[in-house]
Amino acid sequence: MIRRFLAITLFTLATISSRAQPSLPSSFQAKTIHSPEGADIFVRSGGSGPVVVLIHGYAENSDSWAPLAADLMKDHTVVVPDLRGIGRSSKPAGGYDKKTQAKDIRAVVTSLGYDKTSVVAHDIGNMVAYAYAATYPDKVERLVVMDAPIPGIDPWSEILQNPGVWHFNFHGPDAERLVAGRERIYLDRIWNDFTGDPGKPDEATRNFFAATYAQPGGMRAGFAQFAAFSQDARDNKVFEQTKLPMPVMALGGEKSFGPLQAVIMRHLAINVQEEVVAGSGHWLMEERPAYTVALIRKFLDGPPVAHTVASRTGGDSGEKRFTPSEYRFPQLGNPGTGSSGIAGIETVVLKGNPEEAGVYTIMLRVPAHTRIAAHSHRDDRVASVISGTWHIGYGDKFDEAKLKALPPGSFYTEPPSRNHFAETRDEAVVVQITGFGPSSTEYVDATQDPRKQGKSK
């Protein structure tokens, strides 16, 4: 009787564990595709409808997409490869730079008979997805990137200085020897440090992924993803010269990258939608799967967007060059959209239109002895001080103690919906602001809105 009870108990626990580990839908078809770049890529696919490619990250494999794949397959064709060196893909000696891995992904897409797709990525998958979108911009309908930096793209240098990413530089034969037989310990450190929920990923998921990295050559290949970052940074600096034309959703976990994901992608793309998953750390599919899936589906199923490819050369390329003497401010104040609305401010639009969707740059000349009450803008903005000393602070009301003096050459940010205030003193100040429209201005105290008063303060 006791033996029978123990047997049933063990079977039940095994069943629960098996169900808990991530797994793509059983109806997906598996195939191994040879990439011309020298790797055999294991891929599973299923469903029907518009094609979506899911690209996983480090400390996981393609099964990490289980919640999203199960939902999307209802009305999409879902293609889910293992990156080279991970899961059931081959583990070649080289080719771990993300530009090469983008070619692996292209081989998968075309070998399965597809051409244009949407792409969803997480972690190191972001880096491969960016290289793919930059290499094949006319083949990507929509791009989703989730919670990871892009090598070489600001604020990459600052990210590298964070002690928490020491594993970026942990690779080589000695690192492999140290981790051999201790893969779970090494991966636990990554899962624990970047989660917003200590229970996620759960035990079954951790054991499953750790086993895939414990395969012969698994850690060597995993470490090679990081060893390629210096080459990735060089490649991305070239890619960055042409902005991605397709709609991009930048998704960050509140307790991880948060809105920084969108800041990064706005260096690289002309149309970036920012989303933050409340309460989540880095492991979005494990920590907040239902909410994350809903955000991705809403973005992928959004209204059609005209697809254009940015031109590198010739014709109407948008190329502009101005020296300080060539800026043409109007003779009278024209504060306009994207400014604080004070009548004495003179505005010149250098690029785009702050009233429309897309990147814009404006230059403002703010008269001396101007005080601007606490207000915010809906879009994410960065700014530089061109001339004069600008005094700016953050908060819900003007507080002189919170002002910081920014001389010419200074940089500051105006995060979306973040209240801030400013003033000039004995000299006019010129600031240059770049954002992603449409912009707006909302005052904390409506009675201090100069647009409603019809006059400057």
Side-chain angles (χ1 to χ4, degrees):
M1 185 70 175
I2 293 176
R3 287 182 182 177
R4 184 170 180 274
F5 173 78
L6 289 173
I8 292 172
T9 301
L10 291 172
F11 175 80
T12 301
L13 290 173
T15 301
I16 293 172
S17 177
S18 175
R19 288 176 181 171
Q21 77 177 42
S23 179
L24 294 182
S26 59
S27 61
F28 275 28
Q29 299 297 307
K31 188 173 183 179
T32 297
I33 293 171
H34 181 71
S35 167
E37 300 300 319
D40 294 319
I41 305 300
F42 177 77
V43 59
R44 284 168 288 177
S45 60
S48 61
V51 184
V52 183
V53 179
L54 311 182
I55 306 178
H56 68 85
Y58 187 70
E60 52 193 5
N61 61 26
S62 56
D63 283 297
S64 64
W65 291 116
L68 182 60
D71 185 88
L72 287 180
M73 69 176 291
K74 301 169 187 174
D75 48 16
H76 290 75
T77 298
V78 186
V79 176
V80 197
D82 279 336
L83 292 174
R84 73 163 58 199
I86 297 177
R88 283 180 270 185
S89 289
S90 67
K91 300 170 177 58
Y96 293 92
D97 63 281
K98 311 313 175 285
K99 186 176 179 180
T100 296
Q101 293 192 73
K103 296 176 182 177
D104 292 343
I105 301 301
R106 189 62 190 161
V108 166
V109 170
T110 57
S111 295
L112 292 176
Y114 308 123
D115 185 30
K116 293 184 178 181
T117 76
S118 291
V119 178
V120 180
H122 176 238
D123 190 76
I124 280 180
N126 283 8
M127 306 172 191
V128 178
Y130 171 61
Y132 183 84
T135 304
Y136 311 102
D138 59 331
K139 305 302 182 184
V140 179
E141 300 289 351
R142 293 173 187 253
L143 173 64
V144 178
V145 291
M146 298 165 53
D147 213 80
I150 303 293
I153 305 303
D154 288 340
W156 178 247
S157 297
E158 289 80 359
I159 290 171
L160 290 180
Q161 294 173 28
N162 183 341
V165 298
W166 61 263
H167 59 286
F168 283 10
N169 293 307
F170 184 73
H171 46 75
D174 290 334
E176 293 171 39
R177 291 169 57 208
L178 284 168
V179 174
R182 306 178 185 89
E183 293 85 3
R184 171 63 195 268
I185 298 172
Y186 163 78
L187 292 170
D188 268 340
R189 176 262 152 189
I190 295 175
W191 290 320
N192 292 340
D193 279 9
F194 301 119
T195 189
D197 178 350
K200 302 291 177 63
D202 61 26
E203 279 295 303
T205 299
R206 293 178 184 225
N207 286 333
F208 172 68
F209 287 145
T212 68
Y213 284 84
Q215 296 172 15
M219 290 308 305
R220 173 192 58 78
F223 290 151
Q225 300 282 354
F226 300 112
F229 279 179
S230 58
Q231 180 60 51
D232 297 333
R234 290 190 290 271
D235 291 336
N236 291 337
K237 283 297 184 184
V238 176
F239 288 144
E240 185 184 15
Q241 295 174 18
T242 302
K243 304 304 182 190
L244 298 180
M246 73 289 298
V248 176
M249 183 167 77
L251 194 57
E254 179 191 17
K255 298 180 180 180
S256 185
F257 269 67
L260 179 60
Q261 190 67 64
V263 173
I264 293 169
M265 294 310 298
R266 288 187 179 120
H267 290 292
L268 306 173
I270 62 175
N271 183 354
V272 178
Q273 174 181 323
E274 174 184 325
E275 296 289 353
V276 175
V277 179
S280 183
H282 177 68
W283 311 103
L284 298 165
M285 278 292 120
E286 288 79 21
E287 297 181 58
R288 293 292 307 278
Y291 185 73
T292 304
V293 167
L295 285 176
I296 294 170
R297 172 171 280 283
K298 181 179 178 181
F299 176 75
L300 294 179
D301 295 344
V305 179
H307 196 109
T308 58
V309 179
S311 171
R312 282 184 170 86
T313 59
D316 183 15
S317 63
E319 296 172 353
K320 294 182 180 180
R321 292 178 292 181
F322 293 114
T323 64
S325 64
E326 293 174 311
Y327 296 125
R328 293 290 181 261
F329 286 101
Q331 296 301 307
L332 298 175
N334 64 328
T337 302
S339 77
S340 59
I342 291 178
I345 292 177
E346 300 166 2
T347 303
V348 58
V349 178
L350 301 178
K351 177 180 175 62
N353 183 344
E355 295 183 355
E356 298 177 357
V359 174
Y360 67 87
T361 298
I362 55 178
M363 184 169 286
L364 310 179
R365 182 158 62 193
V366 185
H369 306 293
T370 298
R371 175 168 289 189
I372 303 173
H375 65 285
S376 66
H377 308 282
R378 64 196 263 185
D379 56 321
D380 195 7
R381 296 153 42 116
V382 296
S384 298
V385 180
I386 305 300
S387 64
T389 299
W390 185 232
H391 298 262
I392 186 168
Y394 301 100
D396 296 336
K397 63 179 181 179
F398 191 97
D399 183 347
E400 193 160 352
K402 292 182 179 179
L403 292 172
K404 181 173 182 177
L406 300 180
S410 298
F411 170 84
Y412 65 98
T413 64
E414 295 180 358
S417 301
R418 180 72 166 95
N419 291 320
H420 55 282
F421 46 86
E423 71 174 13
T424 59
R425 296 186 179 173
D426 294 333
E427 59 184 341
V429 174
V430 175
V431 296
Q432 183 173 298
I433 301 171
T434 295
F436 190 89
S439 188
S440 65
T441 302
E442 298 293 335
Y443 275 81
V444 176
D445 183 349
T447 65
Q448 295 181 308
D449 187 340
R451 299 166 299 180
K452 297 178 179 179
Q453 299 167 349
K455 60 182 181 179
S456 166
K457 284 211 167 191

